[in-house]
């Protein structure tokens, strides 16, 4: 059995890759030892949306983004440290007493787990990062989010 790899997620960058028709969620892009690139499919994101709405109300207007996003990404560092993306297969959500959220992003095939403990605002920013990066019209989720 393959050993578990557990990584603390500190930064999040997300891009839509047209050629793959997937989201590329990058965790810790500046730290080559702890960087993970996850593919997120349309089907998986659609399954996540009800969970997101259970925990946060996604507002349509722009808000200050506390989560690292593509517009703040140093593209040369991003490209230099890029990993072979792996499929995001599962996310566990655990509501915390302080209204925060613990999330665990998983690839079970490679036994990789990325753990993040986010306050309410950072969790909301994480949700917005994913939902605003997705091609909502093409993926048929424009009226959902």
């Amino acid at each position: 059995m393959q050993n578990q790899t557990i990584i603390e997620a500190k930064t999040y960058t997300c891009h839509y890759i047209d050629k793959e028709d997937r989201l590329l969620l990058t965790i810790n892009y500046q730290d080559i030892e702890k960087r993970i690139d996850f593919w997120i499919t349309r089907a998986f994101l659609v399954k996540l949306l009800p969970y997101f709405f259970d925990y946060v109300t996604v507002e349509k207007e722009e808000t200050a983004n506390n989560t690292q996003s593509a517009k703040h990404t140093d593209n040369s560092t991003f490209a230099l440290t890029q990993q072979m993306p792996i499929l995001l297969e599962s996310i566990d959500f655990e509501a915390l007493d302080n209204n925060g959220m613990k999330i665990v992003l998983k690839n079970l095939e490679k036994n990789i787990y990325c753990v993040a403990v986010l306050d309410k605002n950072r969790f909301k920013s994480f949700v917005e990062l994913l939902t605003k990066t997705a091609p909502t019209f093409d993926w048929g989720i424009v009226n959902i989010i």
Side-chain angles (χ1 to χ4, degrees), residues 12 27-28 42 44 47 51 54-55 61 63 76 100 102 106 112 121 129 132-134 143:
Y12 314 89
I27 308 295
N28 304 331
R42 175 196 172 278
F44 189 72
K47 288 178 187 175
Y51 295 100
D54 281 348
Y55 296 112
E61 66 269 3
T63 59
S76 59
K102 177 180 176 182
K106 302 177 187 178
I112 294 174
N121 289 331
L129 178 68
K132 290 181 179 182
T133 303
N143 294 326

Side-chain angles (χ1 to χ4, degrees), residues 1 24 33 45 124-125 141:
M1 181 173 179
L24 178 63
E33 298 295 319
L45 182 64
K124 181 180 176 184
S125 294
I141 57 176

